[in-house]
């Protein structure tokens, strides 16, 4: 069974030599990251796609082909797993509590105090068992609908008020049930919590990268 | 959906061109924490970690980049 692999040529300077520095440059990361998602998303419209994460770089076409050939058994398993399903990101936010006023001597001082206050408010990535029981229940019900789930992105983990987040692999035929589930919890949590869902994404988090 | 007290946002469309999908969410899905600098994205301004202030504060500076991409 043949596999088709889509690769783009990129600047070696940007993606190899300067990659570490570029990953910390939000302007570069934003442009390149969005371009990556645009291409993957377009391909996903054509059929089942196993997306590579941003920054997966092979120095030669030959090394790419060898890598794909080596991983073929796991890739075929992954295709079966994600067929007819999409990745969805779910975030639960606590609605903001009023915070004490900040008295600062300078702009930088204000930022420092604000940062410290927000750090103590924002729940650290703690144990699942420390989560609010209602959120745990929400998580359990999501798991019933999903093929698989993972703890979700690192980039947004510093967001204010973020209580919990996950990425799930959801079969398309379960999309209505998923919407109902989220609607139900949104009603239940009116005034207390906000739920944000994004999707459908290509299944970035559910490819075995062996 | 009643937006006066919107406690649910369903932003459909994982594609890059939708304005409602924030850069934050795109990076959350396309990046592998193992590839990025030790799993966190830290931007410093006056020595303060802006990620804790909410990346949205900084994201307005890349709107131009996103608009340029939409035109391609």
């Amino acid at each position: 069974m043949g596999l088709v692999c889509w690769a783009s040529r990129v600047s070696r300077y940007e993606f190899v030599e300067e990659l570490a520095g570029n990953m910390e440059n939000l302007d570069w990361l934003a442009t390149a990251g969005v371009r990556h998602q645009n291409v993957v998303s377009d391909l996903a419209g054509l059929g089942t796609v196993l997306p590579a994460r941003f920054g997966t770089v092979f120095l030669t076409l030959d090394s790419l082909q060898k890598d794909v050939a080596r991983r073929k058994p796991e890739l075929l398993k992954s295709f079966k797993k994600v067929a007819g399903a999409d990745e969805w990101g779910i975030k639960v936010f606590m609605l903001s509590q009023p915070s004490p006023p900040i008295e600062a001597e300078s702009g930088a001082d204000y930022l420092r105090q604000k940062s410290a206050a927000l750090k103590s408010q924002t729940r650290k990535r703690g144990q699942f068992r420390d989560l609010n029981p209602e959120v745990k229940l929400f998580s359990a019900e999501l798991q019933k609908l999903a093929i698989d789930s993972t703890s979700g992105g690192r980039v947004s983990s510093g967001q204010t008020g973020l209580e919990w987040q996950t990425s799930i692999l959801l079969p398309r035929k379960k999309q209505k049930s998923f919407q109902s589930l989220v609607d139900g919890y949104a009603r239940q949590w009116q005034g207390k919590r906000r739920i944000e869902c994004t999707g459908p994404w290509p299944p970035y988090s559910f490819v075995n990268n062996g | 959906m009643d937006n006066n007290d919107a406690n649910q946002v369903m932003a459909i469309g994982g594609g890059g061109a939708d304005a409602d999908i924030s850069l934050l969410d795109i990076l959350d899905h396309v990046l592998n924490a193992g590839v990025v600098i030790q799993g966190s994205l830290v931007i410093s301004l006056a020595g303060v970690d802006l990620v804790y202030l909410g990346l949205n504060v900084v994201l307005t500076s890349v709107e131009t980049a996103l608009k340029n991409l939409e035109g391609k």
Side-chain angles (χ1 to χ4, degrees):
Chain A
M1 188 189 303
L3 293 176
V4 177
C5 185
W6 186 281
S8 298
R9 263 188 213 287
V10 294
S11 149
R12 188 192 170 110
Y13 180 72
E14 282 181 47
F15 279 86
V16 178
E17 283 145 40
E18 293 295 312
L19 185 63
N22 277 336
M23 291 295 264
E24 297 194 27
N25 176 342
L26 191 58
D27 288 336
W28 182 88
L29 188 59
T31 306
V34 173
R35 186 188 297 131
H36 180 98
Q37 164 58 15
N38 283 349
V39 171
V40 171
S41 173
D42 285 348
L43 290 170
L46 303 175
T48 304
V49 160
L50 299 181
R53 297 278 194 175
F54 174 79
T56 305
V57 176
F58 290 86
L59 294 181
T60 64
L61 202 52
D62 191 57
S63 64
L64 167 61
Q65 284 173 325
K66 287 205 166 77
D67 187 73
V68 171
R70 178 183 64 84
R71 292 165 53 206
K72 191 162 168 176
E74 293 116 61
L75 291 174
L76 291 177
K77 278 193 203 132
S78 287
F79 272 114
K80 280 208 178 82
K81 178 176 177 179
V82 306
D86 301 301
E87 175 165 333
W88 288 82
I90 298 122
K91 294 194 229 181
V92 176
F93 293 86
M94 293 233 49
L95 294 180
S96 62
Q97 319 298 317
S99 48
I102 293 176
E103 284 176 28
E105 287 175 4
S106 69
D109 187 35
Y110 172 83
L111 286 178
R112 261 187 286 277
Q113 289 192 46
K114 182 102 179 140
S115 169
L118 283 169
K119 273 186 201 181
S120 63
Q121 247 184 40
T122 303
R123 198 185 65 83
K124 285 196 171 68
R125 264 186 187 277
Q127 303 288 349
F128 184 74
R129 63 168 180 260
D130 296 328
L131 269 184
N132 180 284
E134 289 179 51
V135 176
K136 272 198 224 178
L137 196 57
F138 180 52
S139 168
E141 296 202 46
L142 284 170
Q143 301 242 6
K144 278 197 217 145
L145 292 176
I147 298 167
D148 198 0
S149 66
T150 178
S151 59
R154 303 295 181 96
V155 178
S156 58
S157 62
Q159 271 187 290
T160 311
L162 181 64
E163 190 177 3
W164 180 71
Q165 75 177 122
T166 187
S167 288
I168 60 168
L169 184 65
L170 183 78
R172 273 167 216 144
K173 61 183 190 236
K174 298 274 176 83
Q175 222 167 289
K176 280 208 174 73
S177 307
F178 171 56
Q179 175 75 75
S180 301
L181 177 68
V182 172
D183 284 347
Y185 272 89
R187 272 193 304 272
Q188 185 182 318
W189 286 340
Q190 188 88 32
K192 275 199 295 181
R193 292 187 176 90
R194 190 179 87 246
I195 307 175
E196 276 183 18
C197 298
T198 58
W201 299 95
Y204 287 102
S205 308
F206 299 103
V207 178
N208 181 353
N209 282 312
Chain B
M1 183 170 65
D2 174 35
N3 270 317
N4 278 343
D5 191 11
N7 66 331
Q8 190 213 131
V9 172
M10 185 74 108
I12 309 294
D18 294 310
D20 279 350
I21 306 295
S22 74
L23 176 62
L24 200 56
D25 291 313
I26 293 174
L27 292 180
D28 245 2
H29 288 268
V30 307
L31 290 178
N32 178 345
V35 169
V36 183
I37 351 105
Q38 278 75 52
S40 65
L41 187 67
V42 175
I43 302 119
S44 286
L45 178 69
V48 176
D49 290 341
L50 278 183
V51 69
Y52 290 104
L53 293 175
L55 272 178
N56 291 318
V57 165
V58 184
L59 290 179
T60 49
S61 71
V62 304
E63 269 176 14
T64 312
L66 296 178
K67 284 200 180 92
N68 288 341
L69 275 175
E70 278 165 12
K72 290 201 163 71

